[in-house]
Every structure is written in structure tokens, then in C-alpha cells.
Amino acid sequence: MVAVLNRWVRHVPPWTLYLAGLAHIVWLFWLGETGGLGPEPINALERALGETGLKLIIVGLAITPVMKVARINLIRFRRAIGLTAFLYISVHLLVWLLLDVFLLSEIWADIVKRPYITVGMAGFALLVPLAVTSNDWSVRRMGAAAWKRLHRLTYAAAVLGAVHNVMLAKTWAAEPLTYLAVMIALLVLRLRWRTKPRSGNAGGMGRARQGPEPVGKGMSA
Amino acid sequence: VGGLGLIGAGRARAETLEPNSFEDITSYNNFYEFGFDKGDPVKYAGALTTEPWRIEIDGLVERPGSYALDEIVSAMTIEERIYRFRCVEAWSMVVPWNGFELADLLTWAGVKPGAKYVAFETLYRPKEMPAQRGGSIDWPYREGLRLDEAMHPLTLMATGLYGKPMPKQNGAPIRLVVPWKYGFKSIKSIVKITLTDKQPETTWNMLQPQEYGFYANVNPQVDHPRWSQARERVIGGGLFSAKKPTLMFNGYEDEVAGLYDGMDLETFY
């Protein structure tokens, strides 16, 4: 079953994710313009974009655990998932800047005065170097170890994004808290795996480990 | 009556107000008893039974008791009031309410000397209000006004909108409307009214006292700790509508500012 899934997944080119993301974003704008997002489409659009971005970050961070636990190998989609998440969050930010707040004075005031905006902007700022270096050339140039170290920032950005989402609700709502709990669980999982005795490998869960491991412990087909 | 000129001013203003569509008003609601999303009330409020409906009036009144809604309404004069509605979340609508002045109801019940505040409670019926089965808010929803605010001629007990009976998601069968205060003061689906000499506990103030005050007057100069109140998003404007400036007391400054003479509105937010 897992083997079949892994084989099937190999036939899906990662670029389809970019296309799907773009199409979904265009679809959301179209919905907003035609009443499909309700009477207040700007906030609805911001939410839909931000939440999809968060979900994609969760999916991206879950790829390694899923491979370790369920032996499903989706590693070839990770870059596309990460970059698509970045696309959603960038458009989320643009909608906030251009359609929601718009006034330059108020944008700056919000960033420095409103903790949830500050936290969200910090999360976005952390994502920028990750997006910029999400290409083969950057991996080669930086070296795998340094590149992986940099990309651990994803966890910080993810937690900031989830906290941003919790903070903007009027009260403690279940859904944003669930996102935050999942982010923290993924982070804890990552830290626990790291502290297992595996010294000498600065790269953390490097590509080298990911290859042989699923095979080593046998398939749960 | 001194109120006449005042209502006249309100009416002159009302002409410039363009009400939101019935669709907007009934599909974009905060009614946390039915869920925390704006779309939840229209989805889930259908389960609410509003007949029979009684309102208990107690505390410092001459005629305490549990009254059938019909008995109350038949003693009142229903009129239309087109009011701005400004949510604390920085969005706004214009709603053509139908209802009667709370002052008339309080006079009908007979306010005893010594009463200083009016406390309100929403229905508590977890079987029909799914979010009441969760624990994040201390149900039932409670609100309150100072007696002079409650007696103000702008303060309305609304039984309908657009000439129709109050839709369930908007607080059927009867709700409060205090147009110069943030929307959460305008408590929905009221079952209890208590005249008291102490400032009553109010739900949002109990939840987050540093964010939601007892007064909750619309005030563009006093920001919510997490967002600006200087401007508001007018519902129904579509994707490319700009926010508009929020008016002091939501545009009812001439009528109500006198209630707060000498009060620091930053302290009593």
C-alpha cells in the first residue's frame, strides 16, 4: 500500500503544486469579487490565504515525520510546498497592505504597535531568506549543512505564524489553538529526534539519512 | 417632550444613511452562542425556538414578573430606526431596525428610586445554542447599561429589521440596540432584565477587562489594545472598498455626549 503510494507519487511533478496554488488564489479573489466570500470579502480573503499558508507550512514540516513513521516519501514535494506556502503568505500580506489597511502611516503604526502584526511580520521576514534560497543553486553554494541550518528557521516562522493567528482572534478560539498545538508538536518531535545520539552530523536529518532509512526497517505494506 | 428635537435630528441624519442589504445584515453576524465565525449564526440559529418567549423583569422595579413577549410588545409603540452599527472589530453596517424605546418598557415596569443600572441576560439553552456547550465563555451572555443610557431615547429594544420579525441570527425575538456603543453591548435574544443599584457584570468585560470596558462607547481616539478604532470597514463594499473614518459616539455625539460630561473616556472605555 505504502509502496504503491510512493510509486504513484513519483509520477506527480512538483510544479503542479505551484499551479494548483496559483489557481486557488485566483479562485479566492474571484470568489471575493463575486460575493462568494460573504459580505466582508477582504477579511475573509486574508484569512483564507493566511490559513492556507499555515496549513502548507504544517504539511511541509510533517513530511519528514510522515516518512519516518508511515514510510510515505513526499520529500520531492517539500520545496514546492514551502514555496507555495510562501506565495500564499505573501499574497496574504499584500491583501493586508493594499486592500485592508492601505494608509502608509497606519501600516507602520500597526507593525510597531500591534503585537499580532509585529509577530506576523517577524514570521514573514524569517520566511524571505528561506524562499530566496529554495533552489538547487543556493544549496550547492551554501553547502548542505549551512543550508539545513538556515532552513530550520521554518520552525520559528511556523510558530510565529501560528501565534499571530491565535492573537488576532477576539477570544481563545479552538481552531487557531489547534494550529499552534500542531506546530509545537512538530517542533518538539524535531527536537527529540535531534537529541537522540547521532553526534557528529551537523546536518540534522540530512538527505543521506532519508534515503536508506525507510528501506532499512522494512515496509509496512 | 424634550426628546422630539432629538429624534428629529436623528431622522435628518437617517436620510443620509444607506442601509445594508437584508442579505448582508443576516449573513454576517457575531452571535457566539452559535459559533465564533461570522457565518455560524446564519448556519446554526435555525434551531432556536423563539415561541413561547418570556422576559423576566426583576430587581428594583414596581412590577416585577415574568412577562410574555406579546404582552410587552402590545403595550409598546413599534417604529423604524435606521442606525449605524459599529462592531468593536472595526467593521460597520447600517441597519433599519424596528422596535420600541427601552425607556418605554422601563417606565411600563416602573423603575424604583435607587436603581442605577440595567442588567440584561441572553437565553441559556445549550440544546439549541451549540457553542454554549463549550467552556470558553461564562454563559449566559450578560450586558448592562447605566440607567440614564438605558432611558436615552436612542436606546432601542428591537423586534425586527426591514419590517420583518427579527431573524434568529440577529437576536430573535428581541434584542437591545445601543447605536453609539460597540455592537457587543447590543445583547441579543433577551430573557431577563434586572434593575439594580450596582454596575452589573458584562460578558466581554469579564473575559478581557483590559480590552472591553463596561461603557464600550464607539471612540476613534481610544484604540482597542490589538487594533486601531480610527477607521472601519463598511460591510458590503466589496474587495476594493477603503475603510472610512469612525465617528465619535458612532455619529451620535450630539445626542449622547452629554451623558459622559466630565468623564475621562480613556479610563471609562
Side-chain angles (χ1 to χ4, degrees):
Chain A
M1 170 66 178
V2 170
V4 171
L5 189 67
N6 282 334
R7 212 172 316 131
W8 182 79
V9 150
R10 270 197 289 272
H11 294 293
V12 182
W15 57 260
T16 51
L17 287 181
Y18 300 115
L19 208 65
L22 263 178
H24 180 229
I25 290 170
V26 171
W27 165 247
L28 286 174
F29 271 88
W30 188 80
L31 277 183
E33 193 43 27
T34 55
L37 295 180
E40 211 287 62
I42 298 173
N43 191 259
L45 188 61
E46 273 171 359
R47 267 171 190 276
L49 292 165
E51 278 180 17
T52 312
L54 271 184
K55 282 177 189 159
L56 285 171
I57 290 180
I58 288 179
V59 171
L61 290 179
I63 282 178
T64 299
V66 161
M67 186 161 66
K68 282 179 186 249
V69 175
R71 311 281 160 214
I72 298 166
N73 187 349
L74 300 169
I75 203 84
R76 58 197 293 264
F77 296 106
R78 191 158 65 178
R79 176 181 293 168
I81 288 168
L83 283 172
T84 309
F86 183 72
L87 174 71
Y88 273 94
I89 290 161
S90 304
V91 180
H92 166 78
L93 178 62
L94 282 173
V95 169
W96 177 74
L97 287 172
L98 298 177
L99 299 184
D100 192 347
V101 188
F102 193 69
L103 287 185
L104 214 56
S105 56
E106 211 169 288
I107 288 168
W108 183 245
D110 272 3
I111 292 173
V112 294
K113 257 172 75 180
R114 317 270 166 228
Y116 82 92
I117 305 259
T118 319
V119 167
M121 288 302 289
F124 178 77
L126 292 185
L127 286 178
V128 173
L130 306 185
V132 169
T133 56
S134 282
N135 51 71
D136 292 340
W137 182 81
S138 294
V139 179
R140 274 196 305 274
R141 209 184 135 143
M142 294 175 67
W147 188 90
K148 274 168 205 149
R149 256 198 313 275
L150 175 69
H151 278 251
R152 277 187 217 133
L153 279 181
T154 314
Y155 288 93
V159 170
L160 287 172
V163 168
H164 162 76
N165 189 36
V166 168
M167 287 171 80
L168 58 85
K170 210 160 70 175
T171 179
W172 298 107
E175 206 183 305
L177 287 172
T178 310
Y179 285 111
L180 181 60
V182 171
M183 296 289 188
I184 289 172
L186 285 166
L187 177 61
V188 168
L189 207 59
R190 175 71 172 77
L191 290 173
R192 288 189 64 175
W193 277 336
R194 237 190 110 207
T195 49
K196 278 183 186 168
R198 265 194 328 99
S199 56
N201 180 4
M205 21 181 162
R207 203 171 282 168
R209 274 167 49 74
Q210 284 152 358
E213 225 200 4
V215 188
K217 289 179 188 161
M219 299 300 219
S220 51
Chain B
V1 183
L4 262 180
L6 193 147
I7 298 300
R11 203 172 283 151
R13 240 167 238 237
E15 282 163 23
T16 66
L17 291 179
E18 180 69 35
N20 278 81
S21 69
F22 185 79
E23 171 73 18
D24 284 357
I25 296 168
T26 54
S27 64
Y28 192 80
N29 310 97
N30 277 320
F31 196 166
Y32 274 28
E33 282 81 344
F34 295 105
F36 290 6
D37 278 346
K38 303 283 180 295
D40 285 341
V42 67
K43 256 186 256 168
Y44 303 117
L48 179 68
T49 46
T50 54
E51 273 176 68
W53 195 273
R54 302 186 77 81
I55 299 181
E56 194 185 338
I57 303 179
D58 67 2
L60 298 167
V61 284
E62 310 285 354
R63 301 175 50 212
S66 170
Y67 296 97
L69 181 64
D70 293 343
E71 187 188 348
I72 292 173
V73 172
S74 61
M76 302 291 137
T77 314
I78 302 285
E79 52 182 306
E80 182 182 67
R81 296 279 181 92
I82 300 171
Y83 283 161
R84 295 180 196 84
F85 185 91
R86 170 61 156 80
C87 179
V88 73
E89 297 164 344
W91 54 264
S92 70
M93 288 185 184
V94 173
V95 186
W97 302 107
N98 311 102
F100 54 86
E101 290 182 14
L102 175 60
D104 291 346
L105 174 61
L106 296 180
T107 307
W108 180 80
V111 179
K112 280 190 179 168
K116 292 195 182 92
Y117 294 92
V118 187
F120 304 86
E121 269 182 38
T122 294
L123 176 72
Y124 177 71
R125 196 181 284 160
K127 265 188 192 161
E128 297 179 3
M129 299 173 132
Q132 285 183 338
R133 302 196 283 262
S136 64
I137 292 174
D138 183 11
W139 308 106
Y141 192 86
R142 275 157 272 185
E143 259 310 332
L145 296 172
R146 224 168 52 189
L147 186 60
D148 57 345
E149 298 174 324
M151 296 297 283
H152 194 280
L154 284 177
T155 304
L156 200 70
M157 292 292 278
T159 53
L161 56 89
Y162 267 113
K164 300 180 177 127
M166 187 65 73
K168 289 176 179 174
Q169 61 271 32
N170 294 82
I174 185 164
R175 64 171 291 169
L176 184 68
V177 179
V178 194
W180 70 93
K181 292 176 180 283
Y182 293 122
F184 68 85
K185 293 295 289 182
S186 293
I187 182 170
K188 301 186 179 81
S189 304
I190 295 168
V191 294
K192 192 173 178 192
I193 299 174
T194 308
L195 277 289
T196 159
D197 58 353
K198 285 183 207 64
Q199 181 174 305
E201 290 199 305
T202 58
T203 294
W204 279 103
N205 184 242
M206 289 154 69
L207 271 171
Q208 322 238 33
Q210 71 288 0
E211 298 192 355
Y212 309 99
F214 174 78
Y215 286 93
N217 291 317
V218 175
N219 188 340
Q221 281 134 43
V222 178
D223 284 350
H224 184 279
R226 286 181 286 148
W227 55 83
S228 165
Q229 296 291 24
R231 295 190 301 150
E232 63 201 47
R233 166 90 49 227
V234 181
I235 299 302
L239 260 188
F240 303 100
S241 70
K243 288 183 174 177
K244 71 161 206 175
T246 288
L247 302 169
M248 189 67 204
F249 293 110
N250 203 24
Y252 302 96
E253 186 171 14
D254 292 349
E255 292 90 337
V256 302
L259 296 172
Y260 310 100
D261 277 345
M263 280 176 72
D264 180 353
L265 296 177
E266 260 182 68
T267 309
F268 300 97
Y269 55 95

